[in-house]
Structures are given as structure tokens and as C-alpha cells.
């Protein structure tokens, strides 16, 4: 059975889960501790990002690479068309979704950094149980420092990200309208649809803010 190594509240990992679900594959998820995940990631894939898929003794990192791998190994319910023009458009929209995801993450982190109390977004990130919760007094200030230091989270960058989000969603929305309003590329679900939707779905399972597509 396949294993998806992930963070539970990550847009990119959600994208990985949706790809596997679309393929109707049986898999399990293993949640890794932020920071400590680097040990497995570096050893198995020589990089430090999640999600990582382990399947048939192969390790695949990056959600787009996972989509490519799945289409080769499991051709049913394809994520691409094997048509140069259509697939180039799929990759273009996937790239736009990654830009969107980076700014969605920073925009959300701006709230996590300033919220306090047991109902904050930060408490959701570290979960109710586990290592991070056990050492909460240490992990809480460390996480908040890391959000500012490594993701550049501030009031100014949050406002910048909100602007990029609005512009990117408007561009994606127009692409969807141009193709008839149901799918981004062609006449069926592809990586383009999964990539975009997974970037705008917040951890609660509701669309980000008031944005919605055609």
C-alpha cells in the first residue's frame, strides 16, 4: 500500500491526497513533525519539502512530480492528456496554483502568528496530541519566530499576499470561464483543477474567504 508523508494542514499535501483519491488508490497518510520531517525527506529524496509519496519501493517528492508519477504507474483516471498543447496549459495553471499557494500560506500564517488562546490557528497547527503539543511552551514561541523569520510574515507582507491572491484568483477564474466554466483544461478533471482547488481550500474545508469560481 502507498504511503503519503505529509503535514495535515498543508495545501500542498492536500493536493497530494486529492491526486491519490482521484486515482482511486488505497493509501495511508503519515503525519510528520515540522522540522523533524527534514530527516526523512533529505535521506529519501534529497530535499526538505512535503508531500512525499512512497509507492512500489519508489520515493517521489513534490506534488506535481507525484501527479506525473501516478499517471505513468496508474494510467486510469488520467491527470494529463498526452497532448502537448493541452498539457502545457495544465502545467501553466499548476504553476499559477503554486504561486497562489505560497501567498495563501503566508496570508494565513499572518493570522496564526498574532492569534492567541486555545482556539487559535496555531493550536490547530500543532494538534491536540503529539510531540509539539507536549512541548507547547517551547514550540509556540519557536513557531511564531519561524513564521516571521522564514516566511517573512508581517502586516505588510500579508497585505501584499492578499493582493496577489485576489489577482491570481481573478486570472484563474477567467481561464475557467474561457473553457466553459466546468474544467480548466479540456472536458474532464485534470491536475489543473486539483492543483487550483487544493490551494484555495482552507484547513476547515471551506473555500478561502469569500472567493469562489464561476
Amino acid at each position: 500500500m502507498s504511503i503519503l508523508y505529509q503535514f495535515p494542514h498543508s495545501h500542498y499535501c492536500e493536493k497530494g491526497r486529492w491526486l491519490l483519491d482521484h486515482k482511486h488508490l488505497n493509501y495511508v497518510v503519515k503525519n510528520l513533525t515540522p522540522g523533524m520531517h527534514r530527516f526523512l525527506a533529505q535521506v529519501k529524496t534529497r530535499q526538505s519539502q512535503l508531500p512525499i509519496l512512497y509507492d512500489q519501493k519508489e520515493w517521489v517528492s513534490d506534488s506535481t512530480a507525484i501527479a506525473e508519477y501516478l499517471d505513468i504507474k496508474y494510467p486510469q483516471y488520467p491527470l494529463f492528456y498526452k497532448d502537448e498543447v493541452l498539457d502545457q496549459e495544465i502545467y501553466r495553471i499548476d504553476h499559477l496554483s503554486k504561486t497562489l499557494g505560497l501567498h495563501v500560506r503566508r496570508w494565513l500564517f499572518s493570522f496564526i502568528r498574532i492569534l492567541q488562546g486555545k482556539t487559535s490557528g496555531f493550536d490547530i497547527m500543532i494538534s491536540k496530541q503529539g510531540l509539539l503539543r507536549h512541548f507547547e511552551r517551547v514550540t509556540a514561541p519557536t513557531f511564531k519566530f519561524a513564521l516571521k523569520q522564514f516566511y517573512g510574515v508581517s502586516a505588510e507582507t500579508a497585505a501584499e499576499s492578499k493582493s496577489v491572491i485576489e489577482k491570481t484568483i481573478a486570472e484563474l477564474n477567467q481561464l475557467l470561464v474561457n473553457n466553459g466554466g466546468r474544467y480548466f483544461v479540456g472536458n474532464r478533471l485534470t491536475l489543473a483543477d486539483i492543483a487550483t482547488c487544493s490551494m484555495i481550500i482552507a484547513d476547515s474545508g471551506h473555500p478561502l474567504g469569500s472567493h469562489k469560481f464561476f
Side-chain angles (χ1 to χ4, degrees):
M1 181 177 291
S2 304
I3 302 173
L4 186 73
Y5 293 89
Q6 65 157 21
F7 298 139
H9 303 295
S10 161
H11 298 284
Y12 300 96
C13 295
E14 180 148 1
K15 177 182 172 184
R17 295 193 299 271
W18 288 13
L19 292 171
L20 289 161
D21 289 340
H22 176 68
K23 290 288 187 177
H24 294 207
L25 298 175
N26 292 322
Y27 68 96
V28 296
V29 297
K30 288 194 176 181
N31 297 329
L32 300 182
T33 302
M36 294 183 180
H37 77 281
R38 294 175 181 270
F39 293 105
L40 179 138
Q42 287 288 348
V43 169
K44 298 299 184 180
T45 63
R46 298 184 180 180
Q47 56 86 55
S48 58
Q49 303 297 316
L50 297 182
I52 294 172
L53 177 67
Y54 177 64
D55 177 74
Q56 297 187 22
K57 298 183 179 181
E58 293 193 49
W59 295 85
V60 186
S61 62
D62 182 80
S63 54
T64 302
I66 289 173
E68 294 168 339
Y69 168 85
L70 291 176
D71 253 23
I72 293 171
K73 292 290 186 178
Y74 307 99
Q76 71 274 19
Y77 309 108
L79 294 158
F80 298 92
Y81 282 102
K82 295 184 179 179
D83 176 284
E84 184 177 356
V85 174
L86 293 177
D87 287 347
Q88 281 182 353
E89 184 66 3
I90 289 172
Y91 280 116
R92 186 170 79 88
I93 293 172
D94 181 59
H95 179 74
L96 276 175
S97 78
K98 289 182 177 181
T99 298
L100 178 63
L102 289 172
H103 287 279
V104 167
R105 181 171 61 184
R106 188 165 71 176
W107 187 70
L108 291 175
F109 280 176
S110 70
F111 291 98
I112 292 171
R113 180 170 170 261
I114 63 176
L115 287 174
Q116 302 291 331
K118 296 300 180 183
T119 58
S120 75
F122 172 76
D123 286 281
I124 295 172
M125 281 187 70
I126 66 174
S127 303
K128 294 181 180 180
Q129 299 178 345
L131 188 63
L132 295 181
R133 177 62 68 183
H134 186 70
F135 295 102
E136 180 179 351
R137 290 185 179 181
V138 176
T139 56
T142 301
F143 261 48
K144 290 176 182 179
F145 171 80
L147 292 181
K148 181 178 180 180
Q149 189 73 16
F150 299 111
Y151 293 103
V153 175
S154 67
E156 291 76 16
T157 59
E160 176 190 343
S161 286
K162 187 173 186 296
S163 177
V164 174
I165 290 168
E166 290 173 346
K167 291 178 181 178
T168 307
I169 286 181
E171 181 178 356
L172 288 165
N173 190 66
Q174 189 59 52
L175 290 172
L176 184 61
V177 171
N178 293 345
N179 195 50
R182 187 172 186 183
Y183 302 109
F184 277 105
V185 181
N187 58 3
R188 60 172 172 79
L189 195 76
T190 66
L191 171 64
D193 305 283
I194 292 174
T196 300
C197 291
S198 61
M199 293 301 120
I200 62 171
I201 299 296
D203 293 336
S204 62
H206 297 288
L208 176 65
S210 60
H211 298 297
K212 64 180 180 180
F213 286 102
F214 173 80

